[in-house]
Amino acid sequence: MNDITLPEIRLRAMELEDLDLLYTIENDMAMWDVCTSNVPYSKAALTEFITRNTSDIYADRQLRLIVENGVGHPVGIVDILNYEPRFDRAEVGVVILKEHRHHGYAAAALRQVVQYAINVIHLHQLYAIVAIDNHSSMTLFQNEGFTPSAELKDWIRVGNDYKNAVVMQLFLEKVG
């Protein structure tokens, strides 16, 4: 892992007060190319998601956490999703609001999620699927110890075209 000094952050459960943050992120059409959603979400649908979410990865098979900076301002979200208890693995994704990118928040959030996965969920591995041309995300995951393990051909659809993605894996028993 990279030894640079990262900003102070806190990961916390979603609250109704995060509705506008989720609305902004989920309805950002630029993000639709890197996630499985390609439809806008209403505030009513997101309110229901927040209120129904148990923040229990065992029940929901996913966990969405809000990333707050050192003064308690939300700057993004981090997801642990596609949790597979039989195989002790889960996918991880990080989204930082545009105005807060390139300040180390994603790396700090990823480090905290890795520690949570080791110490609380006791996962064997975390993985991320990253578009082959998403150099910022590739660098983020590689700097945090993830290694590319497979290339997925035509994995991500962008308009009428497809692009490849890379599976980035981190085996957690190798993390200190």
Side-chain angles (χ1 to χ4, degrees):
M1 285 190 194
N2 210 340
D3 287 332
I4 63 169
T5 302
L6 294 175
E8 179 184 335
I9 64 153
R10 181 175 84 111
L11 300 180
R12 62 166 176 79
M14 289 184 301
E15 302 285 348
L16 280 175
E17 66 197 33
D18 300 312
L19 178 62
D20 288 336
L21 172 73
L22 291 179
Y23 187 79
T24 297
I25 290 172
E26 294 293 350
N27 291 301
D28 181 353
M29 290 176 68
M31 297 298 303
W32 292 356
D33 290 343
V34 298
C35 64
T36 57
S37 175
N38 64 352
V39 296
Y41 285 93
S42 68
K43 287 189 176 184
L46 291 170
T47 299
E48 183 176 340
F49 173 72
I50 293 169
T51 56
R52 287 182 180 250
N53 189 288
T54 67
S55 293
D56 180 352
I57 194 163
Y58 303 106
D60 298 334
R61 301 283 197 237
Q62 69 177 19
L63 179 63
R64 173 164 280 183
L65 298 168
I66 303 300
V67 181
E68 287 185 338
N69 64 14
V71 294
H73 181 75
V75 296
I77 58 174
V78 61
D79 287 318
I80 302 173
L81 60 151
N82 297 323
Y83 169 58
E84 290 289 343
R86 179 171 180 226
F87 302 111
D88 293 326
R89 70 175 175 236
E91 185 176 352
V92 63
V94 181
V95 177
I96 302 298
L97 293 169
K98 287 178 189 175
E99 62 268 24
H100 297 288
R101 291 181 187 161
H102 308 292
H103 298 289
Y105 293 121
L110 192 53
R111 283 190 188 180
Q112 284 192 23
V113 164
V114 166
Q115 290 306 308
Y116 180 80
I118 292 169
N119 298 320
V120 179
I121 312 172
H122 308 290
L123 292 180
H124 171 64
Q125 69 174 288
L126 285 171
Y127 68 93
I129 298 174
V130 180
I132 199 153
D133 61 352
N134 187 339
H135 303 294
S136 294
S137 288
M138 292 286 271
T139 299
L140 166 70
F141 285 103
Q142 285 180 321
N143 284 347
E144 297 308 316
F146 287 70
T147 57
S149 63
E151 187 169 328
L152 304 168
K153 303 292 183 188
D154 289 350
W155 196 256
I156 299 170
R157 184 176 180 168
V158 180
N160 291 325
D161 295 322
Y162 292 87
K163 59 181 160 181
N164 297 352
V166 175
V167 178
M168 304 290 294
Q169 289 179 287
L170 178 66
F171 293 95
L172 298 174
E173 57 268 359
K174 295 180 182 178
V175 175

